[in-house]
Amino acid sequence: MPTEQLKITTDAGHELSGSLELPTGLVRGAALFAHCFTCTKQSKAAVEVTRALAREGIATLRFDFTGLGGSEGDFGRAGFASDIDDLLASARALCERFGDGILLVGHSLGGAAVLAAAGMMARGKVAAVATIGAPSDVPHVLHNVEGDIDAIERDGEGDVTIGGRPFKLSKDFLDKTREADLLERVKALRVPLMVCHSPTDEIVGIDHASNLFLAAKHPKSFISLAGADHLLTKVEDAGFVASVIASWAHRYLPMKADWPMPQEGVIVCTGHGKFGTEVHTTGHRFVADEPKSYGGNDTGPTPYDLLNAALGTCTAMTMKMYADRKGLPLEGVSIHVTHERDHVEDCDHAHAMEEGEQIQSLNRAITIRGDDLTEGDRSKLVEIADKCPVHRTLEGHLHIHTERTE
């Protein structure tokens, strides 16, 4: 999927570094992702979750909080209040581009930040909020600070280590972090909430999820990330939570009224990728693309994949319909279809081709399952395969008519 690099200016006047993951096809909605304490927008969870949401049609922005990654400012003097300000500035930029009603997703302290920010945004700006491993009390993150906190209180600032990385924290940072009363903000929240948490989280215990869930009003949901660690270091864990959040969010990010849903046939629309397109049928939508080796983003099957699939699926359906009608004990079929661009075998119609024209072919290998089928049954089923409607269309006199519409 295409990734767009952005700069977001905060009310404090410095720039935040952001990465916007765009769907290959049309945009269903938009989401803002807040990373964990001292992480960056390039953390495994941030990248995996935002890209997974983009695959679901949700344009998702991840950014570096003040003083982290590529963002300007001093992290050691920022504190939780600054994180909220960063979120509000990023949310404004996202709403200006994609409209109101965005999804907020936060990981760890980023989860606490999106809960606090959601309550400060105007009604209608936030469609829903999802948290991943979020603490129910913001000062909890100070347990991860290795250093002399008393000395910072006394001297105004001091050197500490967080997650093995050195930082200089100010007394103001500590004060702003301790002042936050997150549960009161959650009680006042009036948007749908999903709390995702691992029962084996050793950094932010599962009791924090319970506190958040009990404080929130309905509609609210809880998803157990059993076996996952706090940072979602396993790609499959990050992918799972992203797919769950995306499915849940679809309820609150409804399909737009102006999306092209044809009465018949299909409509194909270009999107944000170099070659990626979105295919709309009367009741479904999916993405087609080219592989990365051809300059695409590999976010969906290729046009020839779809051609092969059209023949394969129609063949399978036709064989099944025949077997059902005749009462044959067919257990299933497996059909492998490949496309050959330069078919050099002798063909009856080869003499009618123009010079330099290629003979192309679709090669179909059929495996028939059913121990009780006779050899005659199997031969008849293969004969029926050649009678499937798509097969007949491809081998018939097919004309393509093109017109330009406004």
Side-chain angles (χ1 to χ4, degrees):
M1 284 156 297
T3 305
E4 183 180 324
Q5 303 305 321
L6 300 178
K7 293 294 183 181
I8 302 150
T9 303
T10 69
D11 292 341
H14 57 259
E15 287 190 334
L16 304 177
S17 174
S19 295
L20 179 64
E21 297 292 345
L22 289 164
T24 300
L26 302 181
V27 176
R28 182 187 186 95
L32 180 60
F33 183 92
H35 63 69
C36 57
F37 187 47
T38 74
C39 292
T40 70
K41 67 178 184 296
Q42 294 305 113
S43 71
K44 184 170 293 186
V47 173
E48 290 297 326
V49 171
T50 54
R51 289 182 176 173
L53 289 172
R55 284 193 292 271
E56 296 293 330
I58 303 173
T60 309
L61 172 65
R62 63 180 191 271
F63 68 96
D64 293 325
F65 280 115
T66 293
L68 295 173
S71 291
E72 298 175 346
D74 185 351
F75 169 79
R77 297 185 180 278
F80 188 68
S82 176
D83 290 349
I84 296 173
D85 291 340
D86 292 349
L87 273 164
L88 294 175
S90 300
R92 281 197 300 271
L94 206 58
C95 288
E96 287 172 3
R97 179 161 176 177
F98 298 104
D100 294 347
I102 64 173
L103 169 68
L104 298 183
V105 183
H107 182 205
S108 191
L109 185 63
V114 297
L115 288 169
M120 300 173 64
M121 294 173 65
R123 187 177 182 83
K125 294 289 185 181
V126 181
V129 177
T131 64
I132 306 167
S136 58
D137 65 300
V138 177
H140 177 272
V141 301
L142 297 179
H143 297 314
N144 299 319
V145 176
E146 299 178 14
D148 193 339
I149 300 297
D150 292 336
I152 296 175
E153 298 277 10
R154 181 185 66 248
D155 301 332
E157 66 178 13
D159 295 322
V160 300
T161 300
I162 307 173
R165 297 163 58 197
F167 292 93
K168 185 180 288 293
L169 293 189
S170 67
K171 182 178 182 301
D172 190 43
F173 180 100
L174 300 178
D175 291 341
K176 289 179 179 178
T177 301
R178 288 170 176 154
E179 288 171 359
D181 189 347
L182 187 61
L183 288 180
E184 285 302 314
R185 298 197 186 204
V186 173
K187 289 177 183 178
L189 200 60
R190 293 296 182 270
V191 296
L193 172 65
M194 171 177 277
V195 177
C196 305
H197 213 108
S198 171
T200 54
D201 192 325
E202 296 181 352
I203 296 178
V204 179
I206 190 64
D207 55 305
H208 287 271
S210 299
N211 294 337
L212 291 174
F213 190 81
L214 291 173
K217 301 291 190 296
H218 284 290
K220 57 184 177 180
S221 305
F222 174 77
I223 294 296
S224 175
L225 306 179
D229 59 31
H230 181 71
L231 294 178
L232 299 181
T233 54
K234 295 180 181 178
V235 172
E236 56 267 30
D237 290 333
F240 169 75
V241 71
S243 64
V244 170
I245 291 173
S247 296
W248 170 80
H250 280 182
R251 190 175 188 88
Y252 307 106
L253 298 174
M255 191 168 303
K256 296 181 179 179
D258 61 348
W259 271 30
M261 300 300 285
Q263 296 297 315
E264 61 178 356
V266 301
I267 294 179
V268 176
C269 305
T270 56
H272 298 280
K274 183 175 181 181
F275 297 120
T277 59
E278 189 158 294
V279 182
H280 292 253
T281 72
T282 56
H284 302 279
R285 67 181 181 89
F286 57 91
V287 169
D289 203 348
E290 290 288 355
K292 292 182 179 178
S293 59
Y294 278 70
N297 295 106
D298 198 25
T299 55
T302 70
Y304 276 104
D305 288 338
L306 298 177
L307 176 64
N308 293 343
L311 177 61
T313 54
C314 188
T315 300
M317 293 174 188
T318 302
M319 293 173 71
K320 182 66 167 60
M321 289 172 63
Y322 176 82
D324 287 348
R325 189 169 63 249
K326 295 296 184 180
L328 300 181
L330 176 65
E331 296 176 4
V333 296
S334 177
I335 301 173
H336 183 200
V337 183
T338 57
H339 172 242
E340 187 178 347
R341 285 181 170 81
D342 190 6
H343 186 55
V344 296
E345 293 183 9
D346 290 336
C347 300
D348 292 339
H349 56 278
H351 65 276
M353 296 178 58
E354 296 182 6
E355 184 177 352
E357 187 178 353
Q358 289 181 326
I359 300 177
Q360 302 191 44
S361 69
L362 293 178
N363 304 313
R364 180 175 52 190
I366 302 175
T367 301
I368 300 173
R369 300 192 302 276
D371 293 339
D372 295 331
L373 289 167
T374 67
E375 186 58 35
D377 293 336
R378 294 173 186 271
S379 296
K380 188 61 178 180
L381 284 167
V382 172
E383 180 184 332
I384 291 299
D386 285 338
K387 300 181 184 301
C388 89
V390 169
H391 184 136
R392 289 180 170 179
T393 297
L394 292 173
E395 286 198 331
H397 296 286
L398 178 65
H399 296 263
I400 300 174
H401 304 280
T402 302
E403 62 176 323
R404 189 182 73 179
T405 59
E406 300 299 331

